[in-house]
């Protein structure tokens, strides 16, 4: 697979290794996405399940107009991420047609048939918009490659913050196995071999270098960007990201927050990783869900004080949260991760 | 940290990057451990909670006498792994004193006080035996470094097969965070900075290269060695390791097998990862534990047929099980992982 060449062709402004900003719903909006692309990465707007995509893309377009980035076929040099089960195709397609983002990232469709529909519709609406599909298992990777031939496969390991498969492997074993399985499939059945991008637990240069060693052509960072200047995030949430350490112990994968917030559309196979706080510990201790919801809603009134170990508000973050050490600009984060990964690999090669 | 130099001084026969054979209880015995060390790795005998350590070390000594390996201070050039909560100090120490293994690997002690006792006793019994301690969290790593100053810290991620912390992070975030936290501790309080070795999900060259990028000075392989010629393993179990794919979906962390086998000594914070079969699915479906135990014990009579998706016998394996593609000699596995990791890193550096 010539992953890097394919990426450079599709996104001519990028520098490699490619650093991608995760499309975090409500948090990764135009300012963050544009800053990431300006730094030679690829920023995604977290479209999620929202219907105000036009607002965010309009803002991105305006920001980019100030100082344009050379993109392929004049696509908008940012991507958009969808949580497909909750997104409305008929609202989304006109927006994609209007703004022509460089990439559309699909995640958690209701079915493969739905994913096919989204892919075909997007390719019709904007032929130069590349199709990214996020998966968390080898079987899903193969099903996706067979059915939609995505340009990019985002392989998400179980260390990721926010939503993903409830049951899964970390990138250490998932990325190489997906890579081998997809190669074997394409060798056998023909078709396009997607670029593989790794996600989940990658915070800084060492994780990025590791992901490249595992066979990825680029890396997604999410949790780290919660501590970027451009993220749309409450201070209480961001402070928790800076405070939390030892994420394997202080974060957990759970359905609790979806339940408390009334987000009922995720299939049983998904949950989300976040920092453990009173909402979770009370739920585990058997607190009645209605009572827990009531407390959650009351906590919303506390503003920034609603986050923290003694707080109750949703604090999605990955196991690498302890490696997030300060708030930086997205530009500095992207450049540090990219250059740092190269330095790590060069340093190791010199030693071995 | 000068991890590699310290390793070469302690184990002069090794080649780097160091490949370590996990001390898998009942499976990693003298033949496997000696073969690994002969290949320039470091093999561990899985002493576990067994009392027949003398038998295995005697066998290792005899194998090594056929063609000696130059070790430091004439220690036996293999290690021994203990599951400390279930091991008898008074039986183990005379054996350590008698055979002087190059390393003693401690895991899951009842308390830090117990770990201190094991460490002091081992250092008294055999001053040249290095102390390895396995941890699965940043907090445990710091507690261990503070209390016993181990020579080596084995940092085990949640992808590992067999026993480990029930709740944890993969190596992608755990290894760099432990590395930073230990460095900060030693900088602040002085003392010895342990060599960090990564474990969990590392099957072949890409995982090994990734672990080095994350900051480890060597890697532990376990699941891969289940498919070595020298492993003491039932054919039914080994066949399952070769069959299983997509380990994030087909393996699971659980207490079920400890319960079925009556292994009650593990603390609540530990469980074990194995391939999903009927014992597990029936337990999840609510089958009475006594009935499940009865079925388990009946299954033992089936021999190799007791393993498989429709089988019931314990099949511990990590999420990387799908990357195990055939049975090889331990020598070939160690050499392939070591040389392959170097090739991966050199190839990446040349491209970047």
């Amino acid at each position: 697979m010539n992953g890097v060449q394919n990426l450079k062709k599709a996104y001519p402004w990028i520098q490699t290794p490619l650093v991608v900003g995760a499309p975090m719903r409500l948090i990764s909006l135009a300012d963050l996405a544009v800053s990431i692309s300006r730094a030679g990465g690829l920023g995604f707007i977290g479209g999620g399940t929202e219907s105000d995509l036009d607002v965010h893309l309009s803002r991105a377009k305006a920001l980019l107009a100030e100082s344009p980035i050379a993109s392929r076929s004049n696509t908008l040099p940012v991507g958009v991420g969808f949580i497909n089960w909750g997104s409305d195709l008929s609202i989304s397609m006109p927006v994609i047609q209007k703004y022509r983002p460089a990439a559309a990232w699909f995640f958690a469709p209701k079915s493969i048939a739905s994913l096919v529909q989204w892919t075909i519709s997007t390719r019709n609406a904007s032929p130069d918009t590349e199709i990214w599909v996020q998966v968390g298992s080898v079987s899903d990777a193969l099903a996706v490659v067979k059915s939609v031939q995505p340009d990019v496969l985002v392989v998400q390991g179980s260390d990721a913050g926010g939503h993903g498969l409830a049951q899964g492997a970390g990138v250490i074993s998932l990325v190489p196995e997906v890579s081998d399985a997809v190669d074997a499939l394409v060798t056998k059945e023909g078709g396009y071999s997607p670029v593989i991008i790794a996600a989940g637990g990658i915070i800084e240069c060492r994780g990025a270098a590791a992901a490249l060693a595992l066979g990825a052509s680029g890396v997604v960072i999410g949790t780290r960007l919660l501590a970027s200047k451009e993220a749309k995030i409450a201070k209480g949430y961001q402070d928790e990201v800076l405070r939390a350490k030892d994420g394997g112990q202080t974060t957990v994968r759970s359905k609790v927050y979806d339940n408390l917030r009334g987000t009922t559309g995720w299939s049983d196979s998904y949950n989300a990783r976040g920092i453990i706080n009173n909402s979770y510990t009370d739920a585990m201790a058997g607190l009645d869900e209605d009572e827990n919801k009531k407390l959650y809603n009351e906590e919303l009134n506390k503003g920034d004080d609603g986050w923290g170990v003694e707080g109750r508000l949703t604090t999605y973050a990955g196991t690498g949260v302890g490696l997030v050490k300060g708030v930086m600009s997205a530009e500095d984060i992207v450049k540090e991760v990219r250059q740092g990964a190269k330095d790590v690999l060069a340093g190791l090669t010199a030693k071995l």
Side-chain angles (χ1 to χ4, degrees), chain A:
Chain A
M1 290 192 290
N2 295 310
V4 172
Q5 287 92 319
N6 290 351
L7 289 170
K8 281 191 167 168
K9 201 170 144 193
Y11 317 106
W13 70 87
I14 64 164
Q15 293 177 49
T16 56
L18 176 61
V19 177
V20 176
M24 298 181 285
R25 191 176 76 98
L26 306 176
I27 293 171
S28 304
L29 301 180
D31 292 73
L32 179 56
V34 169
S35 294
I36 291 168
S37 289
R38 282 214 190 285
L42 174 53
F44 275 82
I45 291 170
T49 56
E50 306 306 302
S51 53
D52 55 356
L53 200 51
D54 196 301
V55 175
H56 302 311
L57 280 164
S58 168
R59 165 90 182 147
K61 191 176 175 179
L63 286 170
L64 285 159
E66 292 167 14
S67 166
I69 294 174
S71 64
R72 184 175 67 171
S73 311
N74 285 320
T75 49
L76 202 66
V78 291
V80 180
F82 295 92
I83 297 171
N84 294 67
W85 64 256
S87 300
D88 188 323
L89 188 76
S90 66
I91 294 175
S92 304
M93 286 307 128
V95 184
I96 286 197
Q97 190 161 27
K98 181 174 169 191
Y99 294 99
R100 304 173 57 249
W105 169 327
F106 298 148
F107 174 45
K110 280 181 186 149
S111 63
I112 285 286
S114 165
L115 181 66
V116 169
Q117 190 185 21
W118 274 85
T119 303
I120 292 172
S121 301
T122 301
R123 285 180 172 150
N124 285 336
S126 173
D128 292 310
T129 295
E130 292 221 312
I131 303 297
W132 291 41
V133 182
Q134 176 181 337
V135 295
S137 70
V138 180
S139 58
D140 284 354
L142 293 176
V144 164
V145 171
K146 276 185 193 182
S147 55
V148 303
Q149 303 255 312
D151 299 292
V152 171
L153 204 53
V154 178
V155 180
Q156 185 201 41
S158 55
D159 291 284
H163 285 88
L165 290 182
Q167 176 77 12
V171 291
I172 189 77
S173 61
L174 184 63
V175 168
E177 191 177 354
V178 165
S179 178
D180 287 354
V182 167
D183 275 352
L185 177 73
V186 171
T187 300
K188 188 178 160 207
E189 301 190 0
Y192 179 77
S193 196
V195 175
I196 288 180
I197 305 277
I202 302 161
I203 302 289
E204 36 84 280
C205 58
R206 289 166 290 184
L212 300 175
L214 293 168
S217 297
V219 299
V220 177
I221 51 175
T223 300
R224 173 74 181 273
L225 291 168
L226 296 174
S228 68
K229 287 177 183 161
E230 295 88 343
K232 188 165 164 55
I233 184 169
K235 186 167 184 309
Y237 186 172
Q238 195 172 61
D239 284 348
E240 265 300 276
V241 170
L242 296 175
R243 182 199 59 76
K245 301 202 185 311
D246 205 2
Q249 306 307 308
T250 60
T251 71
V252 70
R253 301 204 69 94
S254 169
K255 284 258 188 200
V256 164
Y257 293 95
D258 282 332
N259 295 341
L260 294 182
R261 301 161 101 188
T263 312
T264 54
W266 288 98
S267 89
D268 286 347
S269 54
Y270 289 89
N271 65 7
R273 184 183 288 281
I275 298 173
I276 294 170
N277 64 16
N278 281 345
S279 287
Y280 176 78
T281 49
D282 285 349
M284 291 305 106
L287 180 67
D288 174 75
E289 192 171 294
D290 286 337
E291 179 61 21
N292 207 353
K293 269 187 193 173
K294 191 172 144 263
L295 292 173
Y296 191 91
N297 289 326
E298 286 168 14
E299 198 84 0
L300 288 169
N301 300 322
K302 293 191 185 169
D304 289 327
D305 293 335
W307 281 276
V309 172
E310 299 298 318
R312 309 195 76 85
L313 299 183
T314 312
T315 319
Y316 289 145
T319 63
V321 66
L323 290 163
V324 183
K325 292 168 183 175
V327 176
M328 289 166 60
S329 71
E331 180 183 354
D332 287 343
I333 292 172
V334 169
K335 288 182 176 172
E336 184 204 283
V337 172
R338 183 172 63 222
Q339 186 57 44
K342 285 202 250 193
D343 293 345
V344 164
L345 294 168
L348 276 171
T349 303
K351 274 201 292 183
L352 288 171

